[in-house]
Every structure is written in C-alpha cells, then in structure tokens.
Amino acid sequence: MLTCVIRYQIDPTKKAQFEQYARNWGQAIPRNGADLIGYYAPHEGSTTLAYGIYNVANLADYEAYRARLATDPLGRENYEFAQKERFILREDRTFLTLASTPHGVAK
C-alpha cells in the first residue's frame, strides 16, 4: 500500500475555492479507484498549506487511477476550475509507506 500525500501551497484569499476543489475530489477520487483519506484546508497556523491524502495499492494502480481520473467529467472539470481560479500556487506529491505498524491499543 502506498499513501500519496499532496502538499499544496494555496492563495490564502481563495481558501473557499480550494474547499470546493477538495469537495469535488471527494466525489471523483473514490469512484476512480483510490482510497481517499481526505483533503485538508488551513485552519490554525499556516494560511497557505493544504493537503490531499489517499491510498493506492502500488504505482501501477496509481497510473491507472490517474488515467481514469483524467477522463472523469468531474475530474476534468476540477482541473479546469483550479487552472481558471488560480488558487493553487504550488503542488508537490510524494508517496509514502506506513512504517509504524503494528499500532498499539488506545486507552
């Protein structure tokens, strides 16, 4: 399992646009094959950092997911929305593997 963490630098005056973008991905990502953990907008601290996090089985599944997402009507619309509104100033993507298992039991 790979976890994709997307780190966004957003325009702090366009947080509402990022939140709409996040809600759109909340619909499009799961139906195209990735396990969406969530999109996170700034709340306290930095006003410019936001994150999108989802899981895929491996890089081959990631490539297939990205191809499906590119043909999804809402996916295409969301890409265009981001380009038009210009609320994303920078986007970095990294893939991580879970290193902390097994987890202990919460008290």
Side-chain angles (χ1 to χ4, degrees), residues 8-22 48 78-90:
Y8 296 96
Q9 180 183 2
I10 64 169
D11 181 333
T13 66
K14 296 183 176 183
K15 181 181 169 187
Q17 287 92 329
F18 178 81
E19 289 171 340
Q20 180 61 51
Y21 175 81
T48 61
N78 219 27
Y79 286 126
E80 292 167 8
F81 174 63
Q83 293 295 314
K84 178 182 172 220
E85 296 295 323
R86 303 181 61 84
F87 52 87
I88 297 172
L89 305 177
R90 182 180 172 139

Side-chain angles (χ1 to χ4, degrees), residues 86-102:
R86 303 181 61 84
F87 52 87
I88 297 172
L89 305 177
R90 182 180 172 139
E91 179 178 333
D92 297 306
R93 184 175 276 105
T94 191
F95 293 88
L96 305 171
T97 57
L98 183 62
S100 64
T101 57

